[in-house]
Amino acid sequence: MVTIKKIGSAVVGIAVLIGAVGKFVPHWFMTMPFPLSIILWISTGHGMPPYFSTDAWKEDEIDTWTRDGDLVVATGAKSGTTFMLYCTHQIRTKGKDTDDELFPDVSIATPWPDLIQSRGGSWAEQKERYNTTILPDGRTMKEVWDHPSYPFRIFKSHFGPPELPVRKKGGKNIKYMAMVRNGLDVAASMTDFYSAHTDEFRNLWGGFPPDVPPDVRDADGFHPAMKDMLPGNPLEGIYWGYVNSWWPYRNDPNVILLHYSDVRKDLKGSVAKIAKFLDVKLSSSELNTVVNRCSMEHMKKANKFHYYMPLNTDSTWNNNEHFIVKSGKMVNKGHVGNGQSTVFALSLFGLISA
């Protein structure tokens, strides 16, 4: 009986300790091995992925750092986000940034407020560093993302309403771009994306996302990314929640809702449509230049999509050498319908209906 009581007391003590860590210093969990790190993170009430935060978008915060005309590219995960960030940059410069001087890296030219760049960091503590951080070439980060020649600034997000205050009354007039993609294509892209992250980034976040090669399957024959995205699982919001959140807003005047396959099939018409939404007038020559620079071929050649984290303050992270994804992995095939292969489609359909 005494032994049982001791065990019970120990269990209670451990539970209290885990709860305290989860409340006051949850980033400590990120020092633990995967999957324990993520189990403890989720079990103490924290959202996934562990480096996302909605704080920048709260109604009482967003007006402190945005201005009228800003664009939030809030496309779904693995639904053309990097593609649209680079393409809208081409639109705002009318294709004249030919050497990508104003686009040294996607995370510098088009900041990602969702992303907490340091373990234990927050939007509040990294907010000012968007202005003051010095880049390797001597420029401040603000000189790039807030260049005086821009008709609008561009920010990245993977959130949708209500986290993004799309219908906020009063305050700044902000435009939002949303884009959805065939669910099978998203899942197919996610299987590659898990292993695309660098070890340095993964080590910051408790081994997440796990380094699971695209061809790995579990005992049931499915890739972990498939299960993680399904309703009730940690990353369900990446697809199902995202699509549902944006649909009611599709006709709002400050929202443009696109489909990835439509943009890929008619890039020129889509660029013209986006430019009109952004109040940018492109001549025929400028339109052709922008379309060329938005092509998959040009983006692969440009290779400006490593996702550096220049705001990071962790001792294990080198801001000039480390980045989130491996070279070339953010601009992959970009195919439409690549999730429709018989084996892949049957596997996912079987998992959904199981």
Side-chain angles (χ1 to χ4, degrees):
M1 182 64 71
V2 174
T3 301
I4 295 176
K5 288 184 177 179
K6 288 183 177 179
I7 293 174
S9 297
V11 170
V12 171
I14 292 172
V16 171
L17 177 60
I18 290 173
V21 171
K23 182 176 181 179
F24 299 106
V25 283
H27 61 278
W28 284 9
F29 294 143
M30 297 298 103
T31 65
M32 299 179 180
F34 181 87
L36 179 61
S37 57
I38 300 304
I39 292 172
L40 293 175
W41 177 267
I42 294 174
S43 65
T44 51
H46 299 284
M48 288 292 288
Y51 37 81
F52 273 17
S53 170
T54 61
D55 289 351
W57 307 110
K58 295 186 183 302
E59 288 200 10
D60 59 354
E61 173 64 19
I62 190 170
D63 284 342
T64 69
W65 58 274
T66 56
R67 72 184 184 203
D68 289 340
D70 280 349
L71 171 68
V72 179
V73 174
T75 54
K78 307 312 299 171
S79 299
T81 310
T82 302
F83 171 36
M84 284 294 98
L85 290 170
Y86 191 66
C87 197
T88 51
H89 172 72
Q90 299 308 318
I91 291 172
R92 72 178 174 184
T93 61
K94 299 186 176 183
K96 295 177 182 178
D97 186 21
T98 55
D99 296 324
D100 287 315
E101 181 182 350
L102 297 176
F103 207 97
D105 184 74
V106 62
S107 64
I108 296 172
T110 54
W112 186 5
D114 301 3
L115 180 67
I116 301 305
Q117 298 193 19
S118 303
R119 183 193 288 168
S122 66
W123 162 253
E125 62 87 19
Q126 71 181 28
K127 174 181 174 181
E128 182 55 29
R129 293 204 299 281
Y130 275 111
N131 299 325
T132 59
T133 296
I134 305 297
L135 302 175
D137 63 7
R139 290 181 293 179
T140 64
M141 191 171 169
K142 182 179 172 63
E143 289 179 73
V144 179
W145 65 263
D146 192 17
H147 196 272
S149 68
Y150 294 157
F152 55 87
R153 291 99 56 88
I154 303 169
F155 301 98
K156 170 182 175 177
S157 179
H158 278 318
F159 292 119
E163 288 80 11
L164 296 182
V166 178
R167 292 176 178 168
K168 179 177 180 294
K169 295 181 179 180
K172 308 296 173 57
N173 295 314
I174 300 171
K175 295 183 177 182
Y176 296 87
M177 173 187 285
M179 186 155 70
V180 297
R181 188 180 185 185
N182 180 286
L184 290 173
D185 288 350
V186 173
S189 187
M190 281 295 291
T191 62
D192 290 315
F193 192 56
Y194 266 31
S195 61
H197 290 76
T198 63
D199 289 338
E200 292 83 6
F201 180 77
R202 191 176 287 111
N203 291 339
L204 278 180
W205 302 106
F208 186 86
D211 188 7
V212 184
D215 57 349
V216 168
R217 296 293 183 267
D218 63 15
D220 298 319
F222 304 114
H223 190 279
M226 296 182 191
K227 288 188 174 180
D228 286 348
M229 288 175 55
L230 291 177
N233 289 331
L235 301 181
E236 65 172 312
I238 279 182
Y239 183 73
W240 309 97
Y242 176 86
V243 174
N244 289 333
S245 72
W246 277 109
W247 187 248
Y249 296 79
R250 64 193 183 280
N251 295 319
D252 284 25
N254 64 328
V255 172
I256 183 170
L257 176 60
L258 305 168
H259 197 287
Y260 182 86
S261 62
D262 293 337
V263 177
R264 282 296 184 198
K265 292 174 182 177
D266 182 14
L267 183 56
K268 187 172 184 177
S270 297
V271 168
K273 180 179 180 179
I274 295 168
K276 182 178 180 180
F277 172 71
L278 297 174
D279 297 318
V280 175
K281 294 183 179 180
L282 298 174
S283 67
S284 177
S285 175
E286 290 169 339
L287 176 60
N288 288 334
T289 299
V290 170
V291 171
N292 176 264
R293 293 181 65 82
C294 292
S295 68
M296 183 66 66
E297 293 74 20
H298 176 79
M299 290 183 66
K300 286 182 177 180
K301 182 179 178 181
N303 196 25
K304 298 290 185 178
F305 316 106
H306 294 90
Y307 280 94
Y308 285 89
M309 295 201 300
L311 310 185
N312 184 280
T313 58
D314 293 302
S315 60
T316 59
W317 186 268
N318 186 316
N319 289 341
N320 297 328
E321 297 180 4
H322 294 161
F323 34 87
I324 297 177
V325 294
K326 300 171 184 176
S327 182
K329 289 296 185 179
M330 283 308 296
V331 182
N332 202 354
K333 298 183 179 75
H335 292 164
V336 174
N338 64 321
Q340 298 285 356
S341 64
T342 303
V343 174
F344 189 93
L346 289 176
S347 295
L348 188 57
F349 288 145
L351 182 58
I352 292 173
S353 60

